[in-house]
Amino acid sequence: MTVFAAGAVVWRIVEGKVMVLVIHRSAHRDVSLPKGKVDPGETLPQTAVREISEETGLAVTLGVPLGMTNYTMPNGREKTVHYWAAEATDEAVRSSTFLPGGEVAALEWLSVRKACEALTYERDAEIVERFRMLVDDGVTRTFAIIALRHAKATPPYQFPGSDADRPLTERGLGEAKSIVPSLLAFSPEKIVTSSAKRCRQTVEPVAKLLRLEPKVTDRISQDAYEDGTSDVRGLVGKRVRKRVTTVLCSHGPVLPDIVREVALATGTAPAATLSRAGDLPVAGFSVLHLSVDRPGSGIVAIETHVPQ
């Protein structure tokens, strides 16, 4: 059985230069990137944030996904590790709770080149090389537009009221809670939701934990979309200009338009990944990573997550 793990290339700016964090592991006597195995019930983004905190004492937000590595462990089992880029802010570094221990003996900040040379395993160096591409392209600092489809709602034929008033089912309420850890890994600062009850209920658990008041609007509702009064372009354009990670909760028919408008607003060339990003199951969401410094340079990366 494959073992799944998650981690990140943790980075910061020191005197104008990008520095990468490597860890010196005590038991393994090697130099590695912070990562760890998925605990039962965890999502990969949740694991990455938790493991970084446990190994380095740093609280981070996940940025651009950097792919994965696959290898065979000494016990013969296969291991797959998913990685993200993750900026360590000055505040996070000041607040670090790291102490040398039995698992990690020391932390070291190195230039990208020196980090690649210091890492014990070539597979880790390859992940850092992917991060170097972001640095070279000037798109290291990112924010995200998170396109979220509402969770499972009561079917129209089982609900006597208006479509906008259809509530989530018990399954849907569970899905809305289950996606919270993954959403939290990207640290949304704004939540915008369709005025439909099923969308408002979907964002309620994450909004409560983040202590955010969702912005409720008809501009991305299904009713407005169907009668031609929606304003997906205006809303998306504003969120891209704000350069703040935002959750946009909407409906199956509207989500492809949301993704398309993010692409248009950022000068992104058409691609199959764009259409897939808007084709989401209930409670699924796509994270569209955009450059803070060069938002018109296109979508940097797209990743999609579904409820477990």
Side-chain angles (χ1 to χ4, degrees):
M1 182 181 295
T2 301
V3 174
F4 290 96
V9 174
V10 180
W11 65 277
R12 62 187 290 216
I13 302 293
V14 179
E15 297 181 350
K17 189 173 185 179
V18 177
M19 306 294 281
V20 169
L21 182 66
V22 299
I23 62 173
H24 295 256
R25 298 196 298 179
S26 309
H28 295 274
R29 296 180 180 274
D30 60 13
V31 180
S32 180
L33 297 173
K35 64 179 182 298
K37 292 186 293 185
V38 174
D39 281 346
E42 273 190 333
T43 65
L44 287 163
Q46 180 184 10
T47 298
V49 171
R50 176 185 57 77
E51 284 289 342
I52 292 163
S53 176
E54 290 178 358
E55 292 192 339
T56 72
L58 294 168
V60 300
T61 295
L62 298 186
V64 175
L66 298 174
M68 66 186 80
T69 61
N70 299 279
Y71 58 96
T72 303
M73 298 187 294
N75 62 8
R77 296 181 68 183
E78 295 299 311
K79 187 171 186 177
T80 298
V81 188
H82 293 253
Y83 288 97
W84 283 263
E87 182 180 6
T89 63
D90 290 341
E91 180 182 353
V93 173
R94 287 193 298 268
S95 303
S96 173
T97 57
F98 174 77
L99 287 172
E103 185 174 359
V104 179
L107 307 180
E108 187 175 15
W109 292 97
L110 299 170
S111 68
V112 176
R113 179 182 62 81
K114 289 184 177 178
C116 287
E117 294 172 353
L119 289 163
T120 302
Y121 307 104
E122 184 178 345
R123 57 180 178 264
D124 288 350
E126 290 174 355
I127 294 295
V128 176
E129 285 291 349
R130 294 177 195 172
F131 173 73
R132 187 204 294 268
M133 295 173 65
L134 299 179
V135 177
D136 292 344
D137 289 342
V139 294
T140 315
R141 297 175 62 232
T142 58
F143 68 103
I145 302 297
I146 302 175
L148 168 65
R149 185 177 178 183
H150 64 76
K152 178 67 176 177
T154 302
Y157 62 85
Q158 292 181 0
F159 186 71
S162 69
D163 183 74
D165 289 330
R166 283 195 290 127
L168 296 184
T169 62
E170 285 300 315
R171 170 189 151 187
L173 292 170
E175 289 171 340
K177 292 178 180 178
S178 74
I179 61 175
V180 170
S182 291
L183 289 170
L184 290 179
F186 301 99
S187 299
E189 297 180 52
K190 181 80 174 180
I191 298 174
V192 181
T193 177
S194 158
S195 53
K197 184 172 184 177
R198 55 193 182 274
C199 289
R200 290 185 281 114
Q201 285 184 304
T202 298
V203 300
E204 186 176 337
V206 69
K208 185 176 180 180
L209 275 173
L210 289 171
R211 297 182 180 179
L212 294 175
E213 185 66 34
K215 169 70 174 177
V216 179
T217 179
D218 293 330
R219 297 166 77 185
I220 53 173
S221 72
Q222 185 163 334
D223 284 348
Y225 179 80
E226 291 177 349
D227 66 24
T229 60
S230 64
D231 184 20
V232 176
R233 175 163 297 178
L235 190 149
V236 166
K238 180 179 180 179
R239 297 325 315 166
V240 171
R241 290 193 300 273
K242 291 292 185 180
R243 307 184 195 188
V244 167
T245 294
T246 303
V247 174
L248 301 181
C249 184
S250 189
H251 310 261
V254 187
L255 286 161
D257 262 21
I258 290 176
V259 172
R260 189 179 305 114
E261 290 300 334
V262 173
L264 288 172
T266 57
T268 306
T273 51
L274 287 174
S275 59
R276 290 197 295 269
D279 184 16
L280 295 166
V282 289
F285 64 91
S286 289
V287 185
L288 312 176
H289 296 273
L290 311 175
S291 169
V292 170
D293 303 307
R294 299 174 58 196
S297 62
I299 298 172
V300 180
I302 300 173
E303 57 184 296
T304 298
H305 300 274
V306 298
Q308 291 187 329

